Every structure is written in C-alpha cells, then in structure tokens.
Amino acid sequence: MSNISDNPLLQPAAANALPPFSQVKAEHAQPAMEQLLASNRQRINTLLTSINSGETPVSWDALVTPMEAWDDELSQAWSPISHMNSVVNSDELRDAYNACLPLLSAYSTEMGQNQDLYKAYKKLADSTEFATLSTEQKTAIEHALRDFRLAGIALEGDKKSRYGEIKQRLSELTSKFGENVMDATQAWSKTITDKTELAGLPDSALALAQQQAQAKEKDGYLFTLDFPSYFPILTYCENRELRHEMYKAYLTRASDLYSESGGDNKFDNAAVMNEILALRHELSNLLDFSNYAEYSVASKMAEEPQQVIDFLEDLASKAVPQAKQEFSELSAYAKETFGFDKLEPWDVSYCAEQLRQHRYSISQELIRPYLPIDTVLKGMFETVQKLYGINIEEQSQFDSYHDDVRFFHIEKDGQLIAKFYFDLYARDKKRGGAWMDECRVRRTLEDGSLQIPVAYLVCNFSPAVDGKPALLTHDELTTLFHEFGHGLHHMLTQIKTAAVSGINGVAWDAVELPSQFMENWCWEKEALAFISGHYETGEPLPDDLLEKMLAAKNFQSAMMMVRQLEFSLFDFRMHKEYQPELSASEKTNYIKSIVDDVRSQVAVVPIVEYNRFQNSFSHIFAGGYAAGYYSYKWAEVLSADAFSRFEDEGIFNTATGQSFLTEILQKGGSEEPAVLFERFRGRAPTTDALLRHCGISSTSASATKTGAA
Ligand code: ZN
C-alpha cells in the first residue's frame, strides 16, 4: 500500500490548499480515482441506507453536506489530472486520463440513476426543514430533483425499460450521425496541380493543401471538405467553378445527393435523422412533456417553447429587412466588380470578403503593437477594480506545472476572496482554444469555514518573440476578456453551496452572459485608453484605428444574424412541431418541409435545391444542442442588454458595477436567471441593445419582451 500513501492526489489536503502540480505524475491518476470512487460508493451507500431506513433523520447536514464534501474530494483529485492533460499533455498522461474517463462516467451515470439517492433528496424536499433552508439550498435540492426526473428516474415498469431502450438507441444513432458526416467528409477530395487555378488563396491555405497532397504522396494541392480546407476556397479563391464544385459537395455530404458531387450515398443520414426525431419525441412524452422542445427548455432560462419561437421570430422580423438590403448591396458590388449577373450561394463568402477588404482594409497586425500583454492585464484588472471594487495581485510563490503559468489573488475590502491561474501562451502539448475551468468551488466546509474559489484561465496567444513582449490582436483581447468574465462568475460568487456556486447550476442559455458582457469593454474608447498602450511608446490605440474596427465589426451583421436565426428556428421548430401520427411519406419529408418553411421566412441568400445542410448539422443531431441552438442568440441578447445599462449610466459607473456584482455575478446558479436579470435591469430583457450593437435598426419602437413576463 506504500504507493497509495505516497500518492499526492490522495493526501488529505489542508483547507484551501492548491493542487500539488509539481508532485503529480501520470501513474498517480488511476489508483487515486479507483480508491476515491470505491470509498465514495461505500460511504454513499451507508449514508443512504441509514437515511432511507429512518435510522438517520433526513436533513441538509445529514445528506447534502457529506455528499458535497465527497464530491469535492473527488473533483479536487481529478482537477490537476484533467487540467494537466489539457495543457502539458504527454503520452503517459493521456493514457492515464483515458483510463480514468470510463471509471468516472460509470460513476456519474450510477449516481444519476441512483433510486436511493433520489428518494433521500425527495425526503429532504418533503421534510419540515425544507421551508427553513436558504434560497440557494432550496434551489440546489430542486435542481437535483429536476435532473433526476429528466434522467427518467421516476419511471417504473414498462416505461422505465422503454426509457432505457430509447436512451441506448439514441446514443447509437447520434454517434452514427457523426460517423456518417465524418466518413462522407473524408471520402471526398480534389487534387489540383495547376496553381493558377487557385489564385486568391492565402499562403497558409496553399501550404496546408500542399502538405495534404504530400501526405497522400500526390503532386500539387489537395483539398478536402474539412472546414480548414473548404473555408479558404469559398472565401478567397477566385476560381468560381471550383467554389461551385466544392460548395455542392459540402452541402450534399451525408445525403441522398452526395453521388452527384462525386461522393457516395451510403453515408446518407436521412433515416438516422428521422429515427432520432421520433425517439426524442417519444422520450419527452415518457417524461410527460408534449415534445422535445418542451423537454429541452425544462432546464433552461426560457420558460416555454413558444417564448423561444417568439424571441427568434421577433429578431428575424427586425433583421430580415436589413439583411435583404445588405444582400442587394453585395449583389450590386458583385455585378459591378466581377460581372456576376446573379450572386450564387458559392459567391457570397468570396464577394463579401472582397467587399470587406475594399471597405475596411484593416489588419490585426496593425493593432498588435498597442496590446502588449502586461499593459492589457493591468488594464483588465483596473477595469474590474473600477466596476466591482476588487484588487488583483500577482503572486510569485506557488506550485506550478509550467514556467508560463502566472498566479493571482483577488482581494475585496482587504480580504482574500479568490485565486486564479493564467496560462496564456500557445505551446507544444497544449490543447488549442481558450477556456475557464474550475479548480476549487466556493462552498462551506464541514468545520464551517469557507473554501475559496480558484479558477484556471487558459488561452493560446502567440508568445513573446524577438525581444518584444507578447502582443495581442484585438480578437485575442476580446477572448481574454470573455474568459475572464467566466472566471469572475466563478470567483466572485457569494454562494456557499457547491451545486449552485459560481457557474454551477446556471442554465445553459444564460451561462454566457457574464463572459460576452465583459467583451464590451474591449470596444470602448474610455477603457482602451488604459487597456492599450504601444509597447515602445505607451501611446493608446489611436481613435482612427478604433473607428475602423467598429465599422468593420458590423459588416453584414444582419446577414450573419439571419443565418443564425435560420439554424435556431429550424432546430427548435423541428423538435417542437413533430407529430408521431404523420404518414410514412410525410415523415420522410418532414425535416425538409421545416427547413424550407424557415428559409422562406428568414433566408436572404438564394437556396439551391440540392442543399442538404441539415444532413450534417452535427450540433443538433450528434451534439448537445438539440432544441437548444437558440441559446447562442439568447445569451447575446442578455449580455447586450445588461451592458446597455452601463451605456446609459456610464461604463465605469460604480453603482451600476456594484449592482451587476451583487445581482448577477455573486448569485451564481442560486436563483432563476430571469429573476436575477430582472433585478439587475429593472425589467425583462429586450432585443433592442443587441440590434443596436449589431448596427441593425430596430424598426418597432416598442420594447419586445424576451425574458420572463
Ligand atoms: Zn464562453
């Protein structure tokens, strides 16, 4: 047992201790997880037997307090493994991580399906103590019961077994959908040897295509339907025929028409999609919902399906006229510049890019010298200091896994309230993208003391080169503010119950509110005055550059918006309007009939008959966005509307900042987001601010309600 007692992941950590990164090795992961999962199973079992038999009277302290402690113990051991696997990956670490995943997923399925645990929570909800609990405690219990119910735990007999069959079949079908898309995508490629056919393509795209040709031992340039290969052709390539050919192949992937594009129809997803829809509908009926859209919103901020439809249609009614206008401008430009009598769908991205460059030639490289990392961080910390009265201090002494990592304390009124790691630069063995992850959650410990929240903030910026400091593009600046917004939501919470503390328990369609909200300061002159500063002269970002950026920001924003609305409405209506009584032929045509109807309502770009976009819409058929794609726009409305109060009252207004802090950031998932929003904004959210920020004139003067009435 010596290896267990030496395992740093199993050492009883002092309260608020940080992960022992420097001691953690891949070999520690699996033994630690196995031991903790086994002991958790045993402890939970003993506790539930005692509560459900009546031996231990049910209470918050008897049930939830120990459950949260054991859960936290597990996540504290897992957190450094999972984090290091993402940011300092190695073969050993990846193997160890992958070996633990099935153990953890089996455990979490088991807990979600645990009848005894459900009974104990129900007992607690029915107990006389419940009325005396705090709001956050009540919400935590209600969420737990809701999630048990949505996981089918209340079902019995035939219904229970049917539920299990449906879940099983859906998991096969959704994975089959993804496989078909992937196989269809990979089955198509095109090699071009004459470089003149590729005029207009940027060097990076040419280099990628050349590399792909070499990998297949071919001469010239190889293109595929993978997005990084496909996208530059549609956006930059002057060759109209090639654009057309690739567009058609891309839009017929995994459909009955793929063979017309040189692909194979065996990857057709039509039958898979129809079965997925039928089963999702049946599953929601089993759980007493009338359709899958209703099931989806049961755990979201939106209160009922019609509210989502009204929300999307209202945005559409305002954006479509402008989108039509933008499209006709683009058509006129294409005719004048390229002599295109008709702007075809495969011309749209190309002509838009040409027009964008023509109107707003602005390179991110011009911005970089004004955004050196230390000035930016200092400026970002000053921004939140002004808004929320918090002070952020860098620490030099801490245990780390890489020299790039920086570590900070957040203090408010002289008290340490949170800590975070910043891992800013791209490097080998680090996953791409940017994200915030939880290291420690804020909660009350068993001895009554407080665990302080800790966050990992990860980005992939270009590191310092040539003796210059690391310089950010403006896109990178907004990414930084975005992730920091998620971080503040996690770290500034005042909640003490883990299940609803910070970002935990926040509805999916509201969780992007604090992050998108923070991005706004990256576009404000008053903020850029100290967020930016030329790395040689200290001069802030010049006004003319900012003005150009602001103009470019809203280029074709209405066309972009109606496209998102098309996807959202299609996804939502398809799930909401499904009828199991349809005849076989109606079922076959059902999905296409919805797509066609939505397009007639909102699309401004011409649609070709062979367009089978839906057959590769993985977000909703293979991912977690079913009847939830609208969440992207929903959260944008919230963040834009929240920021509009700062526009009215001053972007550094202390009282407004304090109100956002206390009504939104500190509350985490402890109350309904609609309630929190309304308390902050003084009314339900409206779409006006988002439309204005996108440069879309809101034709109707009346504010349209999108949130809780
Ligand atoms: Zn985000």
Side-chain angles (χ1 to χ4, degrees):
M1 292 300 280
S2 68
N3 60 332
I4 296 264
S5 63
D6 291 344
N7 192 326
L9 297 172
L10 289 171
Q11 302 312 312
N16 287 307
L18 292 164
F21 293 116
S22 60
Q23 298 166 47
V24 175
K25 298 206 164 47
E27 71 219 42
H28 297 135
Q30 200 175 340
M33 286 305 121
E34 278 169 355
Q35 166 149 336
L36 286 170
L37 291 173
S39 75
N40 268 11
R41 281 188 172 101
Q42 201 187 20
R43 297 189 284 199
I44 292 170
N45 195 17
T46 311
L47 174 72
L48 294 177
T49 310
S50 170
I51 287 179
N52 287 333
S53 69
E55 190 187 325
T56 302
V58 74
S59 70
W60 178 270
D61 286 338
L63 176 65
V64 187
T65 304
M67 286 297 295
E68 290 213 325
W70 300 334
D71 215 27
D72 199 21
E73 207 178 311
L74 188 63
S75 67
Q76 294 208 16
W78 180 238
S79 153
I81 294 292
S82 147
H83 183 60
M84 287 166 77
N85 181 59
S86 298
V87 295
V88 280
N89 193 266
S90 66
D91 290 347
E92 298 77 38
L93 206 49
R94 182 181 306 180
D95 290 346
Y97 177 83
N98 286 335
C100 293
L101 280 187
L103 306 178
L104 286 164
S105 105
Y107 175 80
S108 101
T109 308
E110 212 176 290
M111 288 303 141
Q113 297 291 331
N114 189 325
Q115 289 283 352
D116 292 335
L117 188 56
Y118 171 62
K119 271 187 216 145
Y121 266 95
K122 228 170 154 313
K123 230 173 162 176
L124 179 56
D126 295 338
S127 72
T128 48
E129 189 200 16
F130 186 81
T132 68
L133 296 174
S134 66
T135 305
E136 62 183 80
Q137 290 172 318
K138 283 182 189 153
T139 306
I141 294 168
E142 282 159 1
H143 280 189
L145 289 173
R146 176 198 70 193
D147 294 342
F148 276 125
R149 224 171 35 245
L150 293 180
I153 205 160
L155 298 175
E156 282 166 10
D158 289 352
K159 283 187 171 178
K160 187 180 177 66
S161 52
R162 181 62 190 147
Y163 178 87
E165 279 167 29
I166 294 177
K167 284 298 267 191
Q168 174 63 30
R169 182 68 186 145
L170 273 175
S171 119
E172 289 163 17
L173 288 165
T174 49
S175 108
K176 184 69 193 160
F177 183 95
E179 282 166 24
N180 278 338
V181 174
M182 192 195 280
D183 291 346
T185 304
Q186 285 176 357
W188 193 98
S189 70
K190 185 175 179 69
T191 311
I192 290 171
T193 44
D194 182 359
K195 198 178 169 184
T196 58
E197 286 185 42
L198 299 171
L201 264 199
D203 290 343
S204 58
L206 283 170
L208 176 70
Q210 204 163 21
Q211 201 184 321
Q212 289 189 318
Q214 281 161 5
K216 293 260 156 74
E217 296 180 351
K218 289 186 174 174
D219 289 332
Y221 305 87
L222 182 91
F223 294 92
T224 70
L225 299 179
D226 278 322
F227 199 70
S229 184
Y230 168 77
F231 177 75
I233 292 282
L234 266 281
T235 314
Y236 301 106
C237 190
E238 293 169 17
N239 186 338
R240 196 181 192 193
E241 249 167 65
L242 180 61
R243 291 202 309 267
H244 185 182
E245 188 185 344
M246 283 191 68
Y247 177 84
K248 182 165 182 182
Y250 192 79
L251 268 295
T252 52
R253 280 176 308 156
S255 83
D256 56 329
L257 298 177
Y258 201 33
S259 59
E260 287 181 20
S261 317
D264 194 322
N265 289 354
K266 71 180 175 189
F267 307 118
D268 187 4
N269 261 332
V272 176
M273 293 152 76
N274 286 331
E275 199 182 342
I276 288 177
L277 275 190
L279 291 178
R280 281 181 182 160
H281 189 84
E282 193 186 341
L283 180 130
S284 41
N285 286 170
L286 275 177
L287 299 171
D288 288 334
F289 296 103
S290 15
N291 53 62
Y292 196 79
E294 210 174 81
Y295 166 80
S296 163
V297 301
S299 54
K300 295 193 171 75
M301 173 172 168
E303 287 178 340
E304 41 125 13
Q306 193 55 41
Q307 192 189 7
V308 175
I309 299 282
D310 291 347
F311 163 73
L312 294 169
E313 288 186 342
D314 171 57
L315 273 179
S317 72
K318 287 163 181 155
V320 167
Q322 185 165 330
K324 282 186 176 155
Q325 176 69 27
E326 287 171 4
F327 185 75
S328 71
E329 273 173 38
L330 187 64
S331 302
Y333 169 81
K335 185 165 171 54
E336 193 184 294
T337 315
F338 305 106
F340 295 166
D341 284 329
K342 181 170 182 256
L343 189 59
E344 301 286 0
W346 49 91
D347 297 326
V348 172
S349 300
Y350 174 75
C351 293
E353 177 58 22
Q354 295 292 318
L355 178 58
R356 195 182 65 84
Q357 283 180 16
H358 174 73
R359 275 198 197 158
Y360 321 98
S361 64
I362 182 161
S363 152
Q364 292 272 347
E365 295 309 310
L366 278 177
I367 316 285
R368 267 190 203 276
Y370 295 95
L371 299 173
I373 190 72
D374 280 319
T375 308
V376 163
L377 287 182
K378 202 167 147 275
M380 183 166 76
F381 297 161
E382 193 175 329
T383 304
V384 296
Q385 198 272 329
K386 286 174 193 275
L387 290 171
Y388 311 129
I390 53 174
N391 291 306
I392 299 178
E393 291 292 339
E394 182 152 17
Q395 308 296 308
S396 55
Q397 298 295 318
F398 62 100
D399 187 48
S400 181
Y401 53 86
H402 194 279
D403 284 347
D404 277 358
V405 181
R406 298 166 71 167
F407 186 61
F408 299 84
H409 280 180
I410 302 185
E411 287 182 6
K412 187 163 169 55
D413 307 322
Q415 276 207 316
L416 177 65
I417 58 165
K419 307 171 185 179
F420 61 96
Y421 299 90
F422 244 142
D423 186 344
L424 293 165
Y425 307 113
R427 61 173 176 264
D428 205 23
K429 308 283 183 197
K430 179 171 167 182
R431 173 153 68 90
W435 67 91
M436 189 286 290
D437 204 358
E438 177 183 303
C439 174
R440 298 281 182 270
V441 64
R442 188 179 196 272
R443 67 180 193 94
T444 311
L445 298 173
E446 273 174 305
D447 66 3
S449 69
L450 200 62
Q451 175 165 288
I452 287 174
V454 183
Y456 303 119
L457 289 153
V458 185
C459 299
N460 268 280
F461 301 146
S462 313
V465 278
D466 301 338
K468 293 179 199 168
L471 303 169
L472 306 189
T473 64
H474 191 264
D475 284 350
E476 290 174 335
L477 180 72
T478 35
T479 300
L480 181 74
F481 273 65
H482 180 103
E483 298 310 331
F484 199 57
H486 282 306
L488 293 176
H489 201 191
H490 174 63
M491 294 187 287
L492 300 187
T493 192
Q494 283 294 301
I495 300 302
K496 299 171 185 170
T497 304
V500 289
S501 173
I503 60 167
N504 292 309
V506 179
W508 195 354
D509 44 0
V511 81
E512 294 293 328
L513 161 60
S515 52
Q516 292 178 351
F517 168 81
M518 275 307 292
E519 292 178 26
N520 287 293
W521 276 264
C522 303
W523 296 95
E524 291 290 329
K525 189 181 164 187
E526 200 186 335
L528 283 164
F530 57 89
I531 292 169
S532 67
H534 195 283
Y535 77 98
E536 285 170 332
T537 64
E539 180 206 353
L541 190 74
D543 288 354
D544 62 325
L545 271 183
L546 177 61
E547 269 152 34
K548 270 191 179 175
M549 284 160 52
L550 284 167
K553 184 184 172 212
N554 287 339
F555 176 62
Q556 293 189 340
S557 56
M559 274 172 69
M560 237 132 71
M561 183 173 301
V562 296
R563 190 154 170 72
Q564 288 298 313
L565 293 173
E566 178 188 326
F567 298 160
S568 306
L569 274 168
F570 162 59
D571 161 49
F572 205 79
R573 282 186 49 192
M574 178 180 69
H575 286 101
K576 179 174 180 283
E577 294 168 24
Y578 187 82
Q579 299 288 343
E581 302 79 26
L582 293 176
S583 70
S585 73
E586 284 170 329
K587 271 185 187 151
T588 310
N589 291 320
Y590 173 70
I591 295 176
K592 184 149 189 328
S593 72
I594 300 274
V595 175
D596 290 346
D597 195 45
V598 167
R599 282 181 178 150
S600 70
Q601 193 189 356
V602 300
V604 299
V605 172
I607 304 294
V608 273
E609 185 48 38
Y610 60 71
N611 187 324
R612 293 286 184 276
F613 156 76
Q614 61 274 18
N615 289 48
S616 57
F617 196 0
S618 298
H619 272 81
I620 62 165
F621 287 109
Y625 278 87
Y629 197 83
Y630 77 90
S631 299
Y632 288 113
K633 272 280 158 282
W634 188 275
E636 272 180 55
V637 164
L638 298 180
S639 57
D641 198 10
F643 183 66
S644 74
R645 193 180 148 195
F646 286 85
E647 291 176 304
D648 294 344
E649 297 171 7
I651 65 159
F652 288 116
N653 187 307
T654 320
T656 320
Q658 186 63 31
S659 167
F660 191 77
L661 174 68
T662 52
E663 309 300 1
I664 309 272
L665 294 177
Q666 291 185 344
K667 293 292 194 315
S670 66
E671 288 179 76
E672 285 301 313
V675 172
L676 297 180
F677 186 93
E678 196 154 343
R679 234 180 260 150
F680 167 70
R681 200 66 188 83
R683 55 161 174 75
T686 80
T687 56
D688 298 355
L690 177 68
L691 291 165
R692 180 165 49 77
H693 293 168
C694 293
I696 299 170
S697 54
S698 160
T699 39
S700 119
S702 70
T704 312
K705 285 197 172 187
T706 59

